[in-house]
Amino acid sequence: MKPRELMAEAVRARRRAYAPYSKFPVGAALLTRDGRVYHGCNVENASYGLAVCAERSAVWQAVSDGVREFTAIAVTARDGRGAPPCGSCRQVLNEFAPHLWVYWRDARGRILKRRLSELLPMAFGLRQLRAR
Ligand code: THU
């Protein structure tokens, strides 16, 4: 699936965002190795700190469905606002897919594309836990 197509899925996912406090709806589309797409949106709460990002919503959705192999994620916020994944989401994505492709858009709407390993270099992960 092309970045543009995955981004179109993220735009669809964003429609379900629940963001009454920040008024910053975010959508994510997570592509699985076998070609399925899981949507995620941010879900906020009156207790502000409990907000969950779109990217993590997509990961929870996929993992709950028994899927853990991912090849790409597309993220979108309001038009004209770039939205690369936040640090917490980078860490969560790294758990399952350190070489994931990450797509987001710049302020002019062009799709930017980076490997997660570039967005989260020298990540802490399972390997560190196992090392003696
Ligand atoms: N947000 C995301 O959904 N993904 C990100 O990577 C950055 C931030 C959400 C969290 C909160 O609901 C709103 O955007 C403003 O921070």
Side-chain angles (χ1 to χ4, degrees):
M1 181 177 268
K2 291 184 179 134
R4 198 167 29 82
E5 294 168 322
L6 197 59
M7 189 58 75
E9 293 290 333
V11 169
R12 290 178 56 205
R14 187 181 55 190
R15 292 191 205 135
R16 300 214 173 93
Y18 177 71
Y21 305 103
S22 71
K23 300 194 173 13
F24 191 77
V26 184
L30 184 61
L31 181 63
T32 69
R33 190 165 295 287
D34 60 7
R36 282 182 280 171
V37 175
Y38 282 88
H39 285 182
C41 61
N42 53 337
V43 182
E44 299 184 345
N45 191 272
S47 179
Y48 296 171
L50 299 180
V52 175
C53 293
E55 299 90 321
R56 272 176 287 163
S57 297
V59 172
W60 307 155
Q61 186 100 341
V63 173
S64 301
D65 209 21
V67 184
R68 297 179 187 169
E69 292 192 321
F70 312 118
T71 55
I73 190 168
V75 187
T76 186
R78 280 191 301 241
D79 289 344
R81 296 286 173 100
C86 80
S88 297
C89 289
R90 293 177 196 199
Q91 179 68 25
V92 167
L93 291 166
N94 179 72
E95 182 76 15
F96 300 104
H99 302 294
L100 191 73
W101 279 111
V102 182
Y103 311 137
W104 73 98
R105 292 190 289 195
D106 68 12
R108 294 163 67 182
R110 287 176 306 200
I111 294 179
L112 303 175
K113 175 178 167 178
R114 295 284 189 285
R115 289 272 188 197
L116 180 61
S117 50
E118 196 180 338
L119 300 178
L120 189 70
M122 294 185 272
F124 177 83
L126 262 177
R127 189 177 295 171
Q128 282 67 40
L129 276 180
R130 284 183 182 148
R132 286 161 194 261

